[in-house]
């Protein structure tokens, strides 16, 4: 059974990230990594999947030793964190694939040790290429920019691998953060 570890890169602390304000209510991040959760929903049922959001918890060696592949990606502002993820994966001898907007728009600036997924991963071609991403010793670039089935074909995100208490947008905070429940909005 293949094991895929989804690692969401850290956002640097900024005024617009609300990191300091979120600490007051005991929350770690504003939003969950919906893109990675959606890709996790695409994987065949025989895959074991886990999520490690670096905005919530650090990436440790035990998570990497569990994984057959690490899937990551994000925006340009997250690139330093992506580079660190790739470095950690290289040290642990775990293949890593980078996708998302930064990989698609600036693939030449990303670490050569990582596979790349360009375009939308919500493509059947991504699933067909996944085994090769795990086993190949050479860098693979999956160019899916002309192969997007559209949002209507995207699977449901894998919210079951998410600790919802870590995210402000998924919580309704009553008088105490410990009483937080899923918002029905």
């Amino acid at each position: 059974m293949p094991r895929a570890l989804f690692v969401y890169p850290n956002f640097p602390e900024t005024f617009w990230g609300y990191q300091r304000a979120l600490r007051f209510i005991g929350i770690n991040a504003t939003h969950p990594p919906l893109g990675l959760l959606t890709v996790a929903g695409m994987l065949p049922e025989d895959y074991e999947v886990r999520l490690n959001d670096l905005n919530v918890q650090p990436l440790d060696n035990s998570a990497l030793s569990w994984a057959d592949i690490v899937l990551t990606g994000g925006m340009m502002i997250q690139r330093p964190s992506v580079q660190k993820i790739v470095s950690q994966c290289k040290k642990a001898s775990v293949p890593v694939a980078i996708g998302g907007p930064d990989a698609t728009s600036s693939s030449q600036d990303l670490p050569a040790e990582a596979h790349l997924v360009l375009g939308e991963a919500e493509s059947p071609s991504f699933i067909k290429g996944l085994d090769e991403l795990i086993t190949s010793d050479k860098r693979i670039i999956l160019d899916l920019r002309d192969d997007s089935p559209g949002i209507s074909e995207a699977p449901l995100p894998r919210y079951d691998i998410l600790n919802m208490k870590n995210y402000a947008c998924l919580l309704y905070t009553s008088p105490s953060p410990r009483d937080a429940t899923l918002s029905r909005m």
Side-chain angles (χ1 to χ4, degrees), residues 2-177:
R3 295 175 301 223
L5 178 63
F6 290 86
V7 180
Y8 193 52
N10 189 39
F11 277 102
E13 191 167 302
T14 67
F15 174 80
W16 297 275
Y18 305 112
Q19 290 96 332
R20 291 182 185 181
L22 290 172
R23 289 184 200 128
F24 286 111
I25 58 171
I27 305 286
N28 294 308
T30 54
H31 296 88
L34 188 58
L36 290 180
L37 294 174
T38 302
V39 174
M42 295 174 48
L43 296 186
E45 288 185 20
D46 65 332
Y47 269 76
E48 287 184 62
V49 294
R50 291 184 184 171
L51 173 69
N52 190 287
D53 183 343
L54 297 183
N55 299 286
V56 173
Q57 69 184 35
L59 179 60
D60 61 29
N61 288 331
S62 65
L64 291 174
S65 65
W66 172 86
D68 294 319
I69 188 165
V70 168
L71 301 164
T72 189
M75 296 178 272
M76 192 176 288
I77 195 167
Q78 294 171 292
R79 188 180 300 161
S81 182
V82 168
Q83 291 169 329
K84 186 176 178 184
I85 293 165
V86 172
S87 177
Q88 285 181 267
C89 289
K90 183 179 178 184
K91 286 179 188 172
S93 299
V94 178
V96 58
I98 305 170
D102 191 28
T104 301
S105 65
S106 305
S107 60
Q108 71 281 355
D109 298 329
L110 295 172
E113 300 87 7
H115 303 302
L116 296 176
V117 179
L118 311 179
E120 300 297 328
E122 292 86 353
S123 162
S125 299
F126 171 72
I127 298 303
K128 290 176 188 170
L130 194 53
D131 288 336
E132 188 178 2
L133 292 175
I134 293 171
T135 59
S136 180
D137 291 333
K138 295 182 181 179
R139 184 182 208 192
I140 296 172
I141 299 175
L142 288 177
D143 191 344
L144 308 174
R145 288 178 284 194
D146 294 329
D147 195 23
S148 176
I151 189 104
S152 63
E153 300 297 318
L156 292 175
R158 288 284 309 267
Y159 288 113
D160 62 302
I161 64 173
L162 183 69
N163 183 348
M164 293 187 187
K165 292 181 181 180
N166 289 319
Y167 301 96
C169 73
L170 294 176
L171 296 176
Y172 167 76
T173 305
S174 57
S176 165

